Amino acid sequence: MKNNNDLINGKEMIKALEDLEEEKGISKDLMLESIEVALVTAYKRNFDCLEENVKIVMDKKTGESHVYMLKEVVETVEDNNLQITLEDAKKISKKLEIGDNAEIEIIPRNFGRIAAQTAKQVIIQKIREASRDVLFDEFSERKGEIISGIIQKAEGGTVVIDLGKLEGIMLVKEQVPTEVYRVNDKIKVYILDVVRGIKGTPQVMVSRVNSNFVKRLFELEIPEIDEGLIEIRSVSREPGSRSKVAVYSQNENIDPVGSCVGQKGIRIQNIISELNQEKIDVIEWNEDIATYISSALLPARVLAVDVKEEERFAQVIVADDQFSLAIGKGGQNVKLAARLINWKIDIKSESQFREMIMKEGAVEATEVLEETTIENVEEEELQLNDEIIGTEEVASEEFEINDSEIIREEQAEEPKKKTTRKTTKKADEEKAEEPKKKTTRKTTKKADEEQVEEPKKKTT
């Protein structure tokens, strides 16, 4: 294939590869390897041989191509296309031994236009693939950056942006609802990812709703952030409406919020303009979570914050006239604050909080009363059970005593019978005498009264 000018001009090819390396960043050595593979493929299609049996080498300086037939060195040749004797191999190189592969240079004939055209097509394909790989790697390294482009197409929902070397694709979900995209408008976008299309062409997926888009805009507009003097700790965003940005500086002499806003708000205004007048709240990050939450809920003024760190939950109390401002339209302000801090936030007005405390107090009092009543009932039941048990024990003891005394009482009953009869008779006589005594007393009393009345009659 050497001196075959119909196939390819070596010097022109090397010059073209050097230009590609300079303009598109495609390695010349990589391209030479691809061309060698393409030439082997073309040779195989036009000549009856195995691909493993052919080797093509290109000179990196002159671009000259050399075709070699590979044959195994053996003692006895069985296939002339694949094997060569040791004697013939020594003529090519004295270093060859049995089992080595001898490279025999050949000059193929009739390696004409079909082979040349096939080789060129493969070469072009390899160049395209190498170019795509270079672009893919280049933009993959730029993930998370902001890039400018010109809108090429804005129909059917998806927006196509010319980024120079590649096209950017902005899907509907990555577009700001309040923005209108027009063809030929210049636009800044955030690189989300780089993917390969159907034919392997790299596609750059971009966004304008991502929270990191705002973060990168701050880094571009505010030198202190780019230099590391001010740090962006967190960003929460409602695309097209409002964003909250928490900033912090370890240097006590630097005001992070003031540096971001700039003199007369110039710095922040540039960012707002790029976001189509989206409102931005810049707050100072604080290690104390209660202070941080109070700042995150600005412009509302907070009265108190009750923090539960284990649950990452905060109960916030605001004045009645600040309640709607703290919540925001459609709950926007509290949602953004919760995302910014990554905590759950519950906001109550002062009156709501007082009412809640009263209800909780009443419930607690009721629970205490119920617990006390239950405890008293349980104590009374225990005392009653103890009394019953004590009574049963006493009764059992008395029963045992009575059993032991029954025999003694029976033995003493007979002598007492006569005495009992006498005593009973005497008692009956006494009972009969008692009415008589009462009658005598009444008669005596009546006589005395009559004696007293007689003098009264005489006097009368």
Side-chain angles (χ1 to χ4, degrees):
M1 196 169 68
K2 185 171 67 173
N3 299 326
N4 190 346
N5 295 325
D6 291 337
L7 176 62
I8 193 167
N9 188 306
K11 291 183 179 181
E12 291 181 358
M13 183 188 66
I14 294 297
K15 181 66 170 62
L17 294 180
E18 290 175 352
D19 293 339
L20 283 172
E21 185 175 28
E22 184 178 351
E23 293 176 4
K24 296 188 175 182
I26 302 174
S27 172
K28 183 180 74 173
D29 295 339
L30 177 63
M31 288 306 305
L32 286 172
E33 292 176 4
S34 300
I35 292 171
E36 289 174 357
V37 174
L39 292 174
V40 171
T41 303
Y43 186 88
K44 176 186 174 183
R45 287 182 180 178
N46 288 271
F47 297 90
D48 187 14
C49 67
L50 298 175
E51 186 174 347
E52 295 81 3
N53 202 33
V54 178
K55 180 181 179 181
I56 297 179
V57 179
M58 297 188 70
D59 193 306
K60 296 181 180 181
K61 294 182 179 180
T62 64
E64 292 181 352
S65 302
H66 302 270
V67 181
Y68 298 93
M69 181 69 70
L70 302 179
K71 291 185 178 183
E72 183 182 2
V73 179
V74 294
E75 292 181 355
T76 303
V77 175
E78 296 179 357
D79 188 343
N80 291 325
N81 294 326
L82 300 176
Q83 296 173 335
I84 187 174
T85 62
L86 180 60
E87 183 180 354
D88 293 336
K90 290 291 185 181
K91 294 177 183 179
I92 300 171
S93 176
K94 295 181 180 180
K95 296 180 180 180
L96 292 174
E97 301 292 341
I98 298 296
D100 294 338
N101 287 325
E103 296 181 355
I104 304 169
E105 186 174 1
I106 60 175
I107 301 175
R109 294 179 181 179
N110 301 323
F111 196 51
R113 295 180 180 178
I114 296 176
Q117 186 65 28
T118 303
K120 289 179 181 179
Q121 289 176 354
V122 175
I123 292 170
I124 292 171
Q125 181 64 27
K126 290 294 182 180
I127 292 173
R128 288 176 179 172
E129 290 178 0
S131 179
R132 290 169 182 169
D133 291 340
V134 170
L135 290 174
F136 184 86
D137 294 338
E138 178 186 343
F139 279 87
S140 294
E141 293 175 356
R142 299 184 64 183
K143 285 182 184 179
E145 294 182 5
I146 288 179
I147 188 171
S148 298
I150 298 174
I151 298 176
Q152 285 185 333
K153 183 181 176 182
E155 298 177 359
T158 302
V159 177
V160 180
I161 305 167
D162 181 11
L163 302 177
K165 297 179 181 180
L166 288 178
E167 289 184 344
I169 307 297
M170 185 163 60
L171 302 177
V172 176
K173 64 179 182 179
E174 302 299 338
Q175 301 172 19
V176 179
T178 57
E179 292 182 346
V180 179
Y181 305 104
R182 300 181 181 86
V183 177
N184 295 326
D185 282 355
K186 190 174 181 180
I187 190 173
K188 288 182 179 179
V189 290
Y190 176 79
I191 299 177
L192 284 175
D193 198 5
V194 182
V195 298
R196 293 190 182 273
I198 299 174
K199 296 182 180 180
T201 305
Q203 291 182 342
V204 184
M205 310 305 295
V206 298
S207 172
R208 280 183 63 86
V209 302
N210 196 284
S211 297
N212 286 327
F213 181 52
V214 177
K215 183 178 180 180
R216 295 301 181 194
L217 287 175
F218 269 78
E219 292 174 355
L220 291 174
E221 293 292 337
I222 301 164
E224 289 85 349
I225 295 178
D226 188 51
E227 294 171 3
L229 297 175
I230 297 176
E231 179 183 354
I232 297 178
R233 286 298 180 93
S234 181
V235 178
S236 62
R237 187 184 181 200
E238 195 74 29
S241 181
R242 182 183 290 272
S243 294
K244 286 183 181 287
V245 182
V247 294
Y248 172 74
S249 177
Q250 294 182 349
N251 192 334
E252 296 180 355
N253 298 323
I254 296 178
D255 177 14
V257 177
S259 300
C260 292
V261 174
Q263 189 175 8
K264 297 183 179 179
I266 293 177
R267 290 180 174 180
I268 197 69
Q269 191 59 46
N270 293 335
I271 300 174
I272 292 173
S273 299
E274 180 59 40
L275 296 175
N276 291 319
Q277 306 307 314
E278 181 178 313
K279 297 178 181 178
I280 300 177
D281 296 335
V282 182
I283 66 171
E284 185 174 0
W285 181 88
N286 197 296
E287 186 176 3
D288 180 54
I289 190 64
T291 305
Y292 188 23
I293 291 173
S294 299
S295 301
L297 288 171
L298 290 173
R301 296 190 302 275
V302 175
L303 296 178
V305 179
D306 183 19
V307 175
K308 297 180 180 179
E309 293 188 2
E310 294 181 356
E311 302 175 10
R312 295 184 70 85
F313 174 80
Q315 178 78 64
V316 179
I317 311 301
V318 298
D320 292 351
D321 60 346
Q322 296 288 307
F323 182 71
S324 59
L325 189 61
I327 296 295
K329 186 177 181 181
Q332 184 187 82
N333 194 52
V334 67
K335 286 179 183 178
L336 289 174
R339 290 179 201 163
L340 187 73
I341 303 169
N342 195 23
W343 275 49
K344 294 180 180 179
I345 300 176
D346 181 30
I347 299 180
K348 292 191 180 297
S349 64
E350 189 175 3
S351 58
Q352 288 176 340
F353 182 71
R354 292 180 183 279
E355 184 178 351
M356 183 184 70
I357 293 298
M358 292 177 66
K359 287 182 179 179
E360 290 180 355
V363 170
E364 289 178 0
T366 304
E367 291 177 353
V368 171
L369 181 61
E370 290 177 354
E371 291 176 0
T372 305
T373 304
I374 291 170
E375 290 176 357
N376 292 339
V377 170
E378 290 177 352
E379 290 178 359
E380 290 176 359
E381 289 179 353
L382 290 173
Q383 291 178 359
L384 182 60
N385 291 336
D386 293 341
E387 290 176 0
I388 292 171
I389 292 170
T391 305
E392 289 177 352
E393 292 177 352
V394 172
S396 62
E397 291 176 358
E398 289 179 354
F399 182 75
E400 291 176 356
I401 294 170
N402 291 336
D403 286 342
S404 62
E405 291 179 353
I406 287 173
I407 297 172
R408 298 176 184 175
E409 290 179 355
E410 288 179 350
Q411 293 176 353
E413 276 181 359
E414 292 181 357
K416 290 180 180 179
K417 285 181 180 178
K418 294 179 181 181
T419 307
T420 303
R421 289 175 182 173
K422 291 179 180 180
T423 305
T424 304
K425 187 177 181 181
K426 187 176 181 180
D428 292 339
E429 291 176 355
E430 289 178 355
K431 288 181 180 178
E433 289 178 356
E434 283 181 0
K436 292 180 181 180
K437 289 180 180 179
K438 290 180 180 179
T439 305
T440 305
R441 289 175 183 172
K442 289 181 180 179
T443 304
T444 306
K445 187 176 181 181
K446 186 175 182 182
D448 293 336
E449 290 176 354
E450 289 177 354
Q451 290 176 1
V452 171
E453 287 178 355
E454 285 180 358
K456 291 181 179 179
K457 288 179 180 181
K458 290 179 179 183
T459 308
T460 302

